[in-house]
Amino acid sequence: MRKKIVAGNWKMNKTYEEALSLVSEIDNMLQDEGRGDVTVIVTPPFPYLQSVGKLAQGNGNLLLAAQNVSEHESGAYTGEVSAAMLKSVGVEYVLVGHSERRQYHHEDAQTLYKKMKAALAQGIKPIFCCGEPLEERDADRHFEYVGQQLKDSVSYLSNEEFDQIVIAYEPIWAIGTGRTASSQQAQEMHAYIREQLSRMFDAEAAFNCTILYGGSANPGNAKELFSQADVDGGLIGGASLKSRDFTDIIKSF
């Protein structure tokens, strides 16, 4: 059965002290109010991973994820971080293919496939991000666009590897644009993604795959979003930087 997951992507935010304070607040709130059937993941910047992880994993309420991973095992790759390094500090999940990595760092489909393989080789579960920009949505090419992203990277995984990954749908057109995606639009794309996955692998594997919504979920809209049949949780950006908002989102199931 697929998991309910809420993952907080902190991006390039928070000082070291602020990061420790935030994870402690979230951890305390979850002890008092949390849902035991929801997997909660925090994704701090690289320098904070070990310290945040120690706090997060102290009582098992939180799991640790990284925002990126190198496709290389080791070597002369200045500034890169390998999957083995992440594993050694307790990382269990890693974002792959986030829209900002695709846009600002020009990560292509083959690179993303290699990153997933590198993570999986270390027992780290990739959270593979996909989603269409505004021009593709307006041109009514959004299904084709997302389907191609899945085909170009995810479809090359083995069935055993696919069983270890999470998908996150990011409607890029609804993030910071003033436009919002309805719960119906989210469900429509999540159902489409699951259908494509069933063709690439099989119906059971697709049914059991967790698909997260990554389009500016907040305490006000999370309950309706999470009530959709194919929305299994959220990849949360800005709202994950506030302990109260993040906890309320977790409680929205």
Side-chain angles (χ1 to χ4, degrees):
M1 294 297 294
R2 59 186 186 252
K3 293 181 178 179
K4 299 174 182 177
I5 295 177
V6 176
N9 179 16
W10 296 3
K11 306 189 180 184
M12 196 175 71
N13 291 293
K14 301 294 184 182
T15 63
Y16 179 71
E17 291 79 10
E18 290 169 343
L20 296 185
S21 177
L22 176 59
V23 75
S24 294
E25 290 173 8
I26 295 170
D27 189 50
N28 289 334
M29 287 181 179
L30 289 178
Q31 289 186 57
D32 295 336
E33 313 169 31
R35 290 279 304 267
D37 60 339
V38 179
T39 298
V40 183
I41 301 169
V42 290
T43 311
F46 280 137
Y48 314 152
L49 279 170
Q50 186 171 23
S51 297
V52 167
K54 286 182 177 179
L55 285 174
Q57 296 167 337
N59 58 34
N61 279 331
L62 298 167
L63 300 181
L64 188 65
Q67 296 179 21
N68 185 34
V69 64
S70 174
E71 66 268 36
H72 303 289
E73 289 186 14
S74 63
Y77 301 102
T78 300
E80 292 295 297
V81 177
S82 73
M85 293 174 183
L86 297 179
K87 184 71 173 179
S88 72
V89 296
V91 168
E92 296 187 52
Y93 290 84
V94 64
L95 301 182
V96 175
H98 191 280
S99 58
E100 292 156 5
R101 296 293 309 180
R102 294 176 188 262
Q103 179 181 355
Y104 303 137
H105 299 275
H106 311 291
E107 295 183 352
D108 59 22
Q110 186 64 16
T111 297
L112 301 182
Y113 169 71
K114 290 178 179 178
K115 288 188 174 196
M116 285 192 288
K117 293 284 286 187
L120 288 163
Q122 292 294 327
I124 298 174
K125 299 178 175 64
I127 301 175
F128 180 81
C129 304
C130 56
E132 80 280 8
L134 181 61
E135 59 268 24
E136 298 297 331
R137 169 64 66 160
D138 284 345
D140 200 28
R141 294 193 298 260
H142 46 293
F143 291 124
E144 178 183 355
Y145 188 92
V146 172
Q148 194 65 47
Q149 288 180 318
L150 296 169
K151 180 180 179 181
D152 290 346
S153 298
V154 176
S155 69
Y156 294 102
L157 298 173
S158 69
N159 283 58
E160 292 74 22
E161 290 169 334
F162 173 68
D163 287 342
Q164 300 302 309
I165 78 165
V166 173
I167 303 293
Y169 167 59
E170 299 180 278
I172 303 167
W173 54 276
I175 302 173
T177 63
R179 295 175 59 166
T180 57
S182 68
S183 57
Q184 290 76 22
Q185 287 173 316
Q187 166 57 25
E188 185 179 45
M189 181 59 82
H190 280 233
Y192 172 80
I193 290 171
R194 205 175 300 282
E195 178 188 359
Q196 297 307 300
L197 295 174
S198 70
R199 295 179 180 181
M200 295 173 190
F201 301 96
D202 59 56
E204 182 179 3
F207 178 82
N208 288 327
C209 180
T210 295
I211 306 177
L212 308 180
Y213 177 74
S216 300
N218 58 62
N221 63 17
K223 188 175 184 65
E224 183 176 353
L225 284 165
F226 294 172
S227 70
Q228 304 303 307
D230 289 289
V231 178
D232 304 314
L235 177 60
I236 314 300
S240 72
L241 299 173
K242 299 177 181 179
S243 55
R244 180 71 271 163
D245 286 355
F246 190 55
T247 303
D248 285 345
I249 291 171
I250 295 164
K251 293 166 62 181
S252 296
F253 276 103

